[in-house]
Amino acid sequence: LGPSKYWNFLYTIMNIEAAFEVCFQTFESLSPESDGHSTELPIARALRLARMLRVLRACNLPLFADLKQIFEGAVGGMRTFMWSLLILGMPLYLIALIFRVSLG
């Protein structure tokens, strides 16, 4: 199975879903009550969106190493950013509350 066994499992699931989707579309087009409009299954739509996960595999290429570091830094800085907003926002809120109560 190798080190990419989880990716292989994901690709297998996506290919099975694609085969089911083709079967559903074929049967739908052959049905006599079909008016040309697609009645997609919600799960098929969700699984189709899951195919976009293939893009994530490209992020492991050395070409995207700098971009990956930028995203990791941005995500890592979110905690610090939220604390700084809290530290700056609480005194401002308290002063606004005091002015609202005292000045009406």
Side-chain angles (χ1 to χ4, degrees), residues 1-14 57:
L1 293 173
S4 62
K5 63 183 174 184
Y6 296 114
W7 287 109
N8 292 335
F9 179 70
L10 178 66
Y11 288 155
T12 303
I13 296 296
M14 286 190 293
R57 190 169 189 183

Side-chain angles (χ1 to χ4, degrees), residues 11-75:
Y11 288 155
T12 303
I13 296 296
M14 286 190 293
N15 288 330
I16 291 170
E17 184 272 329
F20 279 123
E21 184 178 346
V22 168
C23 291
F24 286 135
Q25 287 178 352
T26 304
F27 289 134
E28 182 180 356
S29 66
L30 294 177
S31 68
E33 64 270 357
S34 176
D35 59 353
H37 292 87
S38 175
T39 56
E40 285 187 72
L41 298 173
I43 188 120
R45 189 179 308 150
L47 289 174
R48 192 176 308 126
L49 288 174
R51 286 186 204 164
M52 292 172 34
L53 289 173
R54 291 182 183 185
V55 175
L56 292 177
R57 190 169 189 183
C59 291
N60 291 333
L61 296 175
L63 175 71
F64 296 111
D66 293 334
L67 183 62
K68 191 175 177 182
Q69 284 182 342
I70 290 171
F71 282 128
E72 287 174 357
V75 170

Side-chain angles (χ1 to χ4, degrees), residues 75-93:
V75 170
M78 284 296 173
R79 182 175 177 189
T80 305
F81 179 67
M82 294 309 267
W83 276 112
S84 65
L85 281 179
L86 182 72
I87 289 171
L88 292 173
M90 286 303 291
L92 182 65
Y93 177 74

Side-chain angles (χ1 to χ4, degrees), residues 89-99:
M90 286 303 291
L92 182 65
Y93 177 74
L94 291 174
I95 291 171
L97 190 64
I98 291 170
F99 281 149

